[in-house]
Amino acid sequence: MTEEKRPDLTDSLTGAELLRWYWLKDELADFARRLGIRATGGKDLLAQRIAAKLDGVGFVEPQRAPRKGGAQLTGPLTAATTIPAGQRCSQVVRAWFADQVGPSFRFDAEMRAFFAGANGTQTMQDALDHYLATRGQDAKPIDAQFEYNRFTRAFHEANPAGGRADLLNAWQEYRSRPVDQRGRA
């Protein structure tokens, strides 16, 4: 089998060929600008928008969900503080959590989902309980758009003694192949 080389980003590509390869978001955004189409949004959205343009078909932009308005917590916070619907993962909330569990606190997917689902009946204590209950669980699946993160996890599982240089070399080799010849991490 001959090794395929990733094509240049030109308007002679087909949408299918574009989608076969790994592209950085910056590459896609620059190409979208050259094509005269919107260069905003996530990497997957950019790729789909560009593929539609290359194939000469229409593209329907996804509708953004309206942002929940409303009051945001300002502090000082206590365990009894009620979390309003639409509360964002703000610096005020982060600071409260850091006081409770230490400076290593981060809003991970579990906590972002908790706050996204807050309906005005939960308290900061409920959020803290959720945080503590979700620590130490098995690794959660990594969403498809975070391909490098998925690759990194799989690499370290397969190569526990592998160092950063090994990881980066493997990543470069992995992403240099088309999707249909490398599978997904």
Side-chain angles (χ1 to χ4, degrees):
M1 176 162 79
T2 59
E3 179 122 355
E4 287 186 75
K5 181 180 178 297
R6 186 175 87 156
D8 293 329
L9 285 172
T10 66
D11 58 4
S12 63
L13 276 177
T14 65
E17 186 65 9
L18 173 91
L19 297 175
R20 284 186 70 217
W21 297 91
Y22 182 90
W23 306 98
L24 296 173
K25 183 178 177 185
D26 289 344
E27 292 175 306
L28 293 173
D30 290 344
F31 188 44
R33 284 185 206 94
R34 288 197 324 260
L35 292 173
I37 59 176
R38 286 182 56 195
T40 59
K43 191 169 125 175
D44 289 338
L45 176 62
L46 272 170
Q48 293 301 320
R49 190 183 293 134
I50 292 168
K53 174 72 172 179
L54 292 172
D55 291 341
V57 297
F59 182 78
V60 177
E61 293 289 338
Q63 296 297 313
R64 292 181 70 175
R67 194 170 223 181
K68 296 176 185 175
Q72 298 291 301
L73 295 174
T74 57
L77 304 179
T78 69
T81 302
T82 301
I83 302 168
Q87 173 64 43
R88 291 187 282 282
C89 298
S90 68
Q91 290 302 317
V92 171
V93 175
R94 179 186 311 275
W96 185 83
F97 273 102
D99 286 345
Q100 306 306 306
V101 298
S104 64
F105 173 79
R106 299 288 180 265
F107 282 110
D108 60 9
E110 295 280 346
M111 291 307 295
R112 288 189 305 271
F114 180 89
F115 278 90
N119 61 13
T121 63
Q122 296 92 343
T123 64
M124 291 299 289
Q125 183 63 53
D126 295 329
L128 179 59
D129 292 344
H130 179 77
Y131 175 80
L132 295 172
T134 57
R135 299 308 96 186
Q137 295 180 346
D138 290 337
K140 302 283 188 252
I142 300 172
D143 290 340
Q145 72 266 32
F146 302 114
E147 188 168 3
Y148 177 73
N149 296 2
R150 288 193 337 267
F151 180 86
T152 299
R153 179 185 285 174
F155 176 85
H156 285 302
E157 287 172 357
N159 305 282
R164 180 160 172 75
D166 299 324
L167 167 68
L168 294 177
N169 287 335
W171 171 246
Q172 290 300 326
E173 195 280 323
Y174 171 85
R175 71 175 242 191
S176 71
R177 291 180 284 159
V179 172
D180 55 352
Q181 292 180 16
R182 64 178 152 101
R184 288 288 194 186

